[in-house]
Amino acid sequence: MSPTTIAYSELYTAREDAAISYFTDRFGFQPIATAGPETGTADRRSWALRNGAVTLVVTAPVGDTGEVSRYLDAHGDSFADLAFVCEDLDQDYARATRAGAAALREPAAAADPAREDRFAVVSGFGDLRHTLVQEAASPAGTLPPDRRWNVLDVPGDAPSAATVLGGVDHIAACLPVDTLKRTVDFYNQAFDLHYFSEEYILVGDQAMDSKVVRNESGGITFTLIEPDPTRNPGQIDQFLAAHAGAGVQHLAFLVEDIIGSVRELGGRGVEFLNTPATYYDVIRERVGDLEEHIADLRETNVLVDRDEWGHLLQIFTRSPYERRTVFYELIQRNGAQGFGSSNIKALYEAVERTRETANR
């Protein structure tokens, strides 16, 4: 037994209204539950949001003290918890702690006595934590079990985005120099996430190492990245400095029609990174024939890559946060299973262009 999928991802934010608005107004997430002082959680207020198969929790501090405030002081707006669904909570907790994960909370009953599920909390990379949860039978689904929730009555005709998210395809994280191998080994031993692929990406005078780990079902996938210290500092170094250490760089949301999604979400105010027009001039030479029209890809700035199983399309947002650390990705998989070097390089180059523009 091992964790099976991502239950929810919890973002700590100092700008509660702006963070919630970004997901609801622009990405079409629906509020499904709230927690805070009114439900017995004195030092924080949380909103649970859902779009399709993705659940996000947005949490802001109440007052200037407490764990959320300390985290924000160190890292800025950032994902503090990536929760894993477990079939055998006690076994998964024991495995993680034997592998070196700090026991932040031993297996215990949920804070709400009406819930029958149990949970535990262990450490991940940097200051990130992983809440281990049982699949919940609550109407709101699996939500952080360390607080009581007020489940909202969402009307069936509530407005939502036409883009329905199929899940969190993968999570990318930036790591300090000389910690990549140790982190890969840790996630393998602690959570049974196996090595899947690796890339060394060289862009100009900068470079990074990237390794992908995932569980057997593919429900949990991490792309772990560290900078090459023998090269000039670049975007990974900038992230680590702005975030004050390791952290989640982006969440990738799975979609069925990325071109339609970019058009819709772009119209709702989501800002995506631009791609040089020359990228599309040789796209057929690089990836072969595509079902998608090149003109549509060019118009929407969608990137394409191919592996032995098929091709994938992806695009990255601009970071909506003050420190410009965390951002998001849309990805459509047409058979492709991996993360080709061309895509990773395209990501690096796209973010690097944004960084250079901001520094002018």
Side-chain angles (χ1 to χ4, degrees), residues 174 234-249 325-326:
C174 296
Q235 60 162 288
I236 308 303
D237 303 272
Q238 185 181 43
F239 175 97
L240 294 169
H243 190 267
V248 172
Q249 183 203 48
T325 48
V326 179

Side-chain angles (χ1 to χ4, degrees), residues 10 16 20 31-49 57-62 111-112 115 143-152:
E10 183 169 13
E16 177 183 6
I20 294 171
I32 58 171
T34 61
E38 66 281 0
T39 62
T41 307
D43 68 335
R44 68 193 65 187
R45 180 178 293 103
S46 299
W47 289 78
L49 313 173
V57 177
V58 176
T59 295
V62 174
D112 188 341
R115 292 175 60 167
L143 297 177
D146 62 346
R147 68 207 80 167
R148 296 190 181 191
W149 289 90
N150 173 35
V151 178
L152 303 177

Side-chain angles (χ1 to χ4, degrees), residues 27-189:
F27 267 94
F29 279 80
Q30 288 290 334
I32 58 171
T34 61
E38 66 281 0
T39 62
T41 307
D43 68 335
R44 68 193 65 187
R45 180 178 293 103
S46 299
W47 289 78
L49 313 173
R50 182 165 296 146
N51 179 328
V54 177
T55 300
L56 300 179
V57 177
V58 176
T59 295
V62 174
D64 298 328
T65 61
E67 184 262 337
V68 179
S69 290
R70 291 192 295 271
Y71 192 98
L72 288 169
D73 287 343
H75 305 297
D77 289 12
S78 175
F79 282 94
D81 190 356
L82 300 176
F84 297 155
V85 174
C86 300
E87 294 181 357
D88 189 327
L89 177 68
D90 294 300
Q91 178 178 300
D92 290 343
Y93 171 80
R95 174 181 181 143
T97 52
R98 282 198 307 269
L104 304 179
R105 188 156 186 170
E106 296 182 353
D112 188 341
R115 292 175 60 167
E116 298 179 356
D117 50 325
R118 298 166 61 243
F119 76 106
V121 186
V122 298
S123 64
F125 52 80
D127 288 337
L128 182 77
R129 68 179 182 271
H130 296 298
T131 297
L132 308 179
V133 298
Q134 296 174 192
E135 190 71 57
S138 160
T142 303
L143 297 177
D146 62 346
R147 68 207 80 167
R148 296 190 181 191
W149 289 90
N150 173 35
V151 178
L152 303 177
D153 182 15
V154 180
D157 59 352
S160 63
T163 294
V164 177
L165 305 180
V168 176
D169 181 84
H170 65 274
I171 296 162
C174 296
L175 306 173
V177 172
D178 294 331
T179 63
L180 178 58
K181 183 181 185 303
R182 181 167 72 246
T183 305
V184 168
D185 292 342
F186 168 73
Y187 273 83
N188 173 238
Q189 296 165 15

Side-chain angles (χ1 to χ4, degrees), residues 104-292:
L104 304 179
R105 188 156 186 170
E106 296 182 353
D112 188 341
R115 292 175 60 167
E116 298 179 356
D117 50 325
R118 298 166 61 243
F119 76 106
V121 186
V122 298
S123 64
F125 52 80
D127 288 337
L128 182 77
R129 68 179 182 271
H130 296 298
T131 297
L132 308 179
V133 298
Q134 296 174 192
E135 190 71 57
S138 160
T142 303
L143 297 177
D146 62 346
R147 68 207 80 167
R148 296 190 181 191
W149 289 90
N150 173 35
V151 178
L152 303 177
D153 182 15
V154 180
D157 59 352
S160 63
T163 294
V164 177
L165 305 180
V168 176
D169 181 84
H170 65 274
I171 296 162
C174 296
L175 306 173
V177 172
D178 294 331
T179 63
L180 178 58
K181 183 181 185 303
R182 181 167 72 246
T183 305
V184 168
D185 292 342
F186 168 73
Y187 273 83
N188 173 238
Q189 296 165 15
F191 305 109
D192 202 26
L193 302 187
H194 300 284
Y195 165 85
F196 181 78
S197 64
E198 63 182 294
E199 300 286 350
Y200 178 78
I201 307 301
L202 177 63
V203 182
D205 56 2
Q206 304 164 21
M208 66 176 180
D209 278 306
S210 172
K211 295 182 186 291
V212 177
V213 295
R214 61 172 46 166
N215 65 348
E216 186 174 353
S217 69
I220 304 173
T221 301
F222 283 94
T223 301
L224 303 169
I225 309 163
E226 73 172 8
D228 182 346
T230 68
R231 301 282 178 171
N232 286 342
Q235 60 162 288
I236 308 303
D237 303 272
Q238 185 181 43
F239 175 97
L240 294 169
H243 190 267
V248 172
Q249 183 203 48
H250 72 268
L251 267 60
F253 299 136
L254 191 64
V255 296
E256 291 187 356
D257 174 16
I258 193 168
I259 292 173
S261 296
V262 170
R263 286 171 174 161
E264 186 219 349
L265 299 184
R268 295 171 70 113
V270 176
E271 296 185 11
F272 295 100
L273 295 183
N274 294 324
T275 303
T278 53
Y279 172 91
Y280 300 97
D281 294 342
V282 295
I283 197 168
R284 291 196 187 279
E285 297 175 21
R286 188 169 64 83
V287 299
D289 291 334
L290 297 167
E291 298 175 6
E292 294 79 16

Side-chain angles (χ1 to χ4, degrees), residues 307-327:
D307 61 22
E308 60 186 291
W309 299 283
H311 72 278
L312 59 82
L313 303 98
Q314 61 185 165
I315 192 169
F316 308 95
T317 73
R318 298 184 185 279
S319 176
Y321 307 112
E322 184 177 2
R323 298 197 190 186
R324 298 293 185 262
T325 48
V326 179
F327 56 93

